[in-house]
Amino acid sequence: MSAQLHLMKLCVGAEGPEDLAHWQRRFGDGHAVHVTRMWPKREEELLAGGSIFWVFKGVMLARQRIVRLDEHRHDDGIRRCALILDRDLIPVTAVPRRPFQGWRYLDAKDAPADMPRGRAGDAALPPQMAAALAEMGLV
């Protein structure tokens, strides 16, 4: 990964990347969309190749490339940010993360590496096991 800026976000309600992919099938063949309340101030840096890194039950396990940011307004008229995402969920090396609200910026130097191509098809470890192994430096 080059020196892009990324986002990280808790994926609440999903057990893991497979569960998120299943949920995102509702978008059909188009891009996946995630609506967030705040508009990133560092938009230009995010759109220079950035991704959203998903945290499942305390472990960062996957990322999706951010394609663009669109304005989205609910019936209440409040402006929100729709993150338009590539449908590819790319497995990353498991990294434990403490809970946080909303999303956070993630510098490229702090982003976990993509899983090696040979391991990308491996069944995902349960998040608690991935977190324990990551804390020991084994994944």
Side-chain angles (χ1 to χ4, degrees):
M1 307 217 58
S2 60
Q4 298 98 5
L5 181 67
H6 307 288
L7 296 178
M8 67 175 158
K9 175 93 175 90
L10 299 180
C11 193
V12 178
E15 294 295 317
E18 300 81 17
D19 199 20
L20 176 62
H22 176 72
W23 184 82
Q24 287 182 347
R25 285 191 197 120
R26 73 184 178 121
F27 297 111
D29 293 332
H31 294 294
V33 179
H34 178 77
V35 178
T36 183
R37 193 180 62 172
M38 302 301 294
W39 195 283
K41 290 178 176 35
R42 299 171 70 182
E43 175 179 0
E44 189 175 308
E45 293 170 87
L46 288 172
L47 296 178
S51 293
I52 185 167
F53 282 76
W54 294 107
V55 178
F56 302 89
K57 296 188 174 187
V59 185
M60 195 178 305
L61 294 174
R63 70 177 180 90
Q64 286 178 286
R65 188 176 58 83
I66 300 171
V67 175
R68 68 179 187 273
L69 306 180
D70 286 352
E71 182 176 299
H72 180 81
R73 291 190 188 265
H74 282 287
D75 294 338
D76 59 12
I78 296 172
R79 178 182 185 240
R80 292 180 171 86
C81 180
L83 303 171
I84 309 303
L85 308 171
D86 189 298
R87 289 297 295 276
D88 261 351
L89 268 168
I90 301 164
V92 298
T93 305
V95 175
R97 289 289 175 177
R98 294 190 186 279
F100 57 92
Q101 291 184 350
W103 49 261
R104 297 287 183 267
Y105 289 115
L106 178 67
D107 289 324
K109 65 179 176 46
D110 299 322
D114 292 351
M115 291 288 284
R117 290 192 186 269
R119 291 190 53 203
D122 291 354
L125 294 172
Q128 293 83 0
M129 185 182 293
L133 291 172
E135 285 179 16
M136 292 184 268
L138 299 175
V139 288

